[in-house]
Amino acid sequence: MIDAHLKFYSYNGKRRVLLVEDELINQEILKQILQDSYEVITAATGEEALAVLREQHDTISIVLLDLNLPDMHGSQVLRFLRSDPKYTAIPVIVMTADSDAEVECLNLGAIDFIPKPYPRQKVILARINRTIELSEDRDILRWTERDHLTGLYNKEFFYHYATQFDMFHKDEPTDAVVLDINSFHMINDRYGKAFGDELLRRIAKQALRLFAGSDGMVCRSVADTFLIYCLHREDYSEKLEALSVLLNEDDKSDIRVRLRMGVYSDVDKSLDIERRFDRAKSAADTVKGSFNKVIGRYDHSLHESEVLAEQLIEDFPSAIRDRQFTVYYQPKFDVTSDKPVLNSAEALVRWNHPKLGFISPGVFIPLFERNGLIQELDHAVWSQAAAQIRDWKKRLNVSVPVSVNVSRVDLYDPELIDKLELLVEKNRLDRSELHLEITESAYTDDAKQMVAAVEELRRLGYKIEMDDFGTGYSSLCMLAELPIDALKLDMQFIRSAFRDRRDTRLLEAMIRLAASFKVPTIAEGVETAEQLFALKKMGCDVIQGYYFSPPVPAEKFEAFLTD
């Protein structure tokens, strides 16, 4: 069955044949032969044929073309059909008694011939039937292999043709390239989907112009992602610059389109095609959001990082099962009086891998945040921290609140409160002993939903600390409305405030602002006595950092409880 978008057939379901023949007898003979199977439209001259094609080309399944027409040679009609993409899909069978004209007509795009005088009816019908079938099969293939918006190959066929490309370039180095638009979703949101679609079509057109041909091919993979597979080259900076210039020249608006590219050069051909482009995509992701660097290259260090990431993800279930994740505790000291007093602690996870040793949280936490494993890790940390609070209360008769990190994904969990309540009940804790650290960016990600969830947690008695305050500044205007019990100043913000010219004015303003809303501030990452005294003078309430202690295992932390 042929899809309706490929051809429009007449009301009686018959394919339409355009018969271009000036001899009335020949017209009648062919109409008699064809009329039971096809709807026949006749044209006696080349001009009549061209007029029909201009108006009805979408409905024509095949053209039967006599070469000797009164106003022009049939080869001119062929040239017209092959000069415009609208007509190139219409198959043409030439009718002639001149065998010498066959080669010229084949070169011009004719599919087959019907000799004059005409052969038997069955032969004519068989040739027309077969030609139409082959043409429609080709149209179906073209439709399924192409991205309907841009006309480029879709990803599945692109991978197939890239494999064939390898077969013809076995000994030549090839590159896998990923091309993306920075912040394409914002372009769609601001200027509409129609504008975004037109932008994608322009990129497709210019990418084909710059990369396609005998040495490469282009496809649209998904959304604003384009894939390029080509013979190895070194001029990607020039190509990307040329593409950007062409795009912005075509655009009559003031919108500046920023592109980024990931290049996996001289690909390992033992890898499957999809894996090669995964590497190119990883390279493109390294420059995502960057204004200065627009091309990322896949190299050994990126490969090693990917291998490590895959191993950590693979080892995660056994790490949870075997309790390889250990909670360390870093003390927080209240510095509002003359002598610092232990106020609470932060639970910080460490991974002691049986083969790789201690792995930095800076490696595995962002990884698990990206792939969704962070929620299971958070729950493991909460469980260990709650059990530790209970143990200290039982053995040492000391209650010290411990703050645990709550990720964005946790806040979207409709069972979050039930899970926390079960943890508190199981360990016989007061809710105020378990502080919840929520990052500043989580509040601005979906403010209404986050605020509602946090308000319910506070109503139940949990203490909420806004973590990483100062990294986005977006919460300054919301501070009066946000449900929090403490404001935690980001470590990097503290360090940069005391670095170089030691300009702490913004830091002071933040502390004063928090104080005006009766919200205590916690400064993390404090390393020196100078920082401690300066922060205390500014009005900071609680200090956390290496000045007092690095994060330590539970047994070492007990020294702070018994001192």
Side-chain angles (χ1 to χ4, degrees):
M1 179 179 177
I2 307 300
D3 289 346
H5 62 264
L6 297 176
K7 287 282 187 294
F8 175 81
Y9 301 120
S10 62
Y11 71 94
N12 58 13
K14 295 179 180 179
R15 275 103 169 129
R16 306 185 84 187
V17 175
L18 173 59
L19 172 59
V20 188
E21 171 63 73
D22 63 320
E23 295 284 346
L24 291 178
I25 294 176
N26 289 340
Q27 271 192 22
E28 288 304 315
I29 291 172
L30 288 170
K31 286 171 69 175
Q32 287 296 319
I33 292 172
L34 300 174
Q35 66 184 4
D36 289 342
S37 302
Y38 300 98
E39 180 186 350
V40 181
I41 304 170
T42 58
T45 67
E47 282 299 335
E48 285 183 27
L50 296 181
V52 172
L53 287 166
R54 289 188 185 100
E55 293 180 5
Q56 305 181 49
H57 65 273
D58 284 339
T59 73
I60 304 297
S61 292
I62 193 168
V63 177
L64 303 183
L65 177 64
D66 180 32
L67 290 183
N68 296 313
L69 300 172
D71 58 341
M72 66 178 70
H73 194 266
S75 60
Q76 291 177 264
V77 178
L78 265 175
R79 285 190 177 90
F80 170 80
L81 288 171
R82 297 301 169 249
S83 66
D84 192 317
K86 291 196 298 288
Y87 312 118
T88 52
I90 303 174
V92 178
I93 293 180
V94 169
M95 303 179 296
T96 181
D98 182 5
S99 58
D100 293 336
E102 292 184 4
V103 174
E104 179 188 5
C105 290
L106 284 172
N107 288 333
L108 290 173
I111 302 299
D112 201 357
F113 295 89
I114 294 176
K116 290 184 177 181
Y118 299 132
R120 290 178 302 158
Q121 178 177 346
K122 288 184 178 180
V123 174
I124 293 174
L125 288 173
R127 288 191 171 187
I128 293 173
N129 246 344
R130 184 59 178 155
T131 300
I132 290 176
E133 285 179 3
L134 289 173
S135 173
E136 291 177 350
D137 288 347
R138 182 190 61 196
D139 284 347
I140 291 172
L141 180 61
R142 183 184 296 112
W143 179 260
T144 55
E145 75 176 10
R146 298 285 174 172
D147 166 55
H148 301 165
L149 178 65
T150 63
L152 299 176
Y153 291 126
N154 61 38
K155 185 168 66 175
E156 289 72 21
F157 277 86
F158 175 80
Y159 285 163
H160 173 69
Y161 291 135
T163 303
Q164 292 184 337
F165 187 88
D166 279 347
M167 293 172 60
F168 291 99
H169 302 87
K170 290 181 180 178
D171 301 322
E172 297 178 78
T174 50
D175 298 343
V177 181
V178 168
L179 181 69
D180 277 323
I181 305 172
N182 275 316
S183 303
F184 179 67
H185 66 287
M186 292 302 299
I187 293 175
N188 265 342
D189 288 346
R190 292 181 64 190
Y191 305 105
K193 187 175 183 299
F195 180 89
D197 287 349
E198 177 57 29
L199 176 59
L200 294 175
R201 282 190 285 266
R202 294 208 315 266
I203 290 176
K205 175 185 174 182
Q206 301 301 350
L208 273 174
R209 175 178 169 184
L210 293 171
F211 289 101
S214 60
D215 61 347
M217 62 184 72
V218 183
C219 99
R220 180 186 175 218
S221 172
V222 62
D224 63 318
T225 300
F226 295 82
L227 309 182
I228 300 161
Y229 195 58
C230 58
L231 297 180
H232 175 65
R233 61 202 312 152
E234 298 291 348
D235 62 345
Y236 289 110
S237 294
E238 292 83 354
K239 290 289 186 184
L240 188 59
E241 177 62 25
L243 180 56
S244 298
V245 169
L246 289 168
L247 283 180
N248 289 296
E249 281 180 350
D250 286 348
D251 187 9
K252 301 300 186 291
S253 68
D254 294 329
I255 302 167
R256 175 72 179 174
V257 179
R258 294 190 301 110
L259 303 174
R260 68 174 181 275
M261 182 181 281
V263 180
Y264 175 29
S265 293
D266 193 6
V267 301
D268 178 357
K269 292 185 179 179
S270 67
L271 297 173
D272 61 63
I273 295 292
E274 188 168 2
R275 184 68 180 129
R276 300 176 206 177
F277 282 96
D278 285 344
R279 291 188 169 185
K281 182 68 168 64
S282 296
D285 287 344
T286 63
V287 296
K288 189 173 183 178
S290 172
F291 281 85
N292 300 321
K293 191 176 180 183
V294 292
I295 297 181
R297 295 184 181 273
Y298 189 87
D299 56 17
H300 181 71
S301 63
L302 195 53
H303 174 67
E304 290 297 315
S305 176
E306 281 193 340
V307 170
L308 175 61
E310 288 180 7
Q311 182 176 353
L312 297 184
I313 292 170
E314 185 178 319
D315 293 345
F316 180 78
S318 60
I320 290 287
R321 184 184 64 246
D322 300 338
R323 297 179 65 87
Q324 294 171 18
F325 292 106
T326 304
V327 176
Y328 277 41
Y329 299 87
Q330 188 171 35
K332 303 177 186 178
F333 283 85
D334 185 328
V335 295
T336 56
S337 59
D338 292 338
K339 183 179 179 181
V341 177
L342 182 66
N343 170 276
S344 58
E346 180 180 5
L348 297 162
V349 66
R350 298 292 183 263
W351 188 357
N352 188 6
H353 194 282
K355 294 180 180 177
L356 302 175
F358 275 95
I359 302 168
S360 169
V363 172
F364 65 82
I365 288 180
L367 173 65
F368 295 157
E369 285 177 338
R370 289 194 299 271
N371 60 31
L373 294 175
I374 192 65
Q375 188 172 21
E376 189 174 355
L377 179 58
D378 283 346
H379 293 173
V381 172
W382 300 350
S383 181
Q384 280 194 50
Q388 190 60 66
I389 297 170
R390 180 189 64 185
D391 177 64
W392 285 332
K393 288 174 70 174
K394 184 178 180 180
R395 285 193 302 107
L396 305 177
N397 196 30
V398 175
S399 173
V400 57
V402 173
S403 58
V404 295
N405 284 286
V406 178
S407 305
R408 277 193 188 92
V409 66
D410 296 316
L411 289 167
Y412 285 115
D413 183 358
E415 299 180 357
L416 171 63
I417 291 176
D418 292 339
K419 291 173 181 176
L420 288 170
E421 289 289 275
L422 183 63
L423 203 60
V424 167
E425 182 181 347
K426 176 183 175 182
N427 292 282
R428 295 188 291 277
L429 303 181
D430 188 280
R431 295 185 184 98
S432 63
E433 293 176 304
L434 195 63
H435 293 190
L436 307 178
E437 290 195 8
I438 301 172
T439 61
E440 173 191 7
S441 56
Y443 282 93
T444 56
D445 192 36
D446 186 351
K448 289 184 179 179
Q449 180 171 343
M450 296 303 171
V451 168
V454 172
E455 281 179 340
E456 179 61 18
L457 288 167
R458 289 187 79 216
R459 188 188 66 78
L460 290 169
Y462 294 96
K463 298 297 183 182
I464 308 297
E465 298 176 6
M466 181 190 284
D467 195 16
D468 295 338
F469 189 80
T471 56
Y473 311 111
S474 51
S475 299
L476 283 171
C477 61
M478 302 163 58
L479 196 55
E481 302 174 9
L482 291 178
I484 58 175
D485 297 290
L487 195 66
K488 194 169 186 182
L489 302 172
D490 179 64
M491 179 189 305
Q492 295 303 323
F493 186 75
I494 297 290
R495 289 175 181 171
S496 63
F498 285 99
R499 192 184 299 130
D500 301 329
R501 293 182 300 162
R502 305 175 188 273
D503 189 346
T504 59
R505 286 174 296 179
L506 185 55
L507 185 57
E508 293 177 60
M510 284 182 168
I511 294 171
R512 285 198 303 270
L513 184 63
S516 69
F517 292 118
K518 297 181 171 53
V519 175
T521 49
I522 304 168
E524 64 175 343
V526 177
E527 299 177 342
T528 67
E530 179 188 11
Q531 293 172 354
L532 168 64
F533 292 125
L535 286 162
K536 183 175 179 179
K537 186 177 180 181
M538 293 177 204
C540 184
D541 302 280
V542 178
I543 298 294
Q544 174 185 348
Y546 274 57
Y547 175 77
F548 287 114
S549 172
V552 294
E555 58 271 18
K556 288 190 177 181
F557 186 84
E558 289 184 11
F560 295 102
L561 303 179
T562 57
D563 186 358

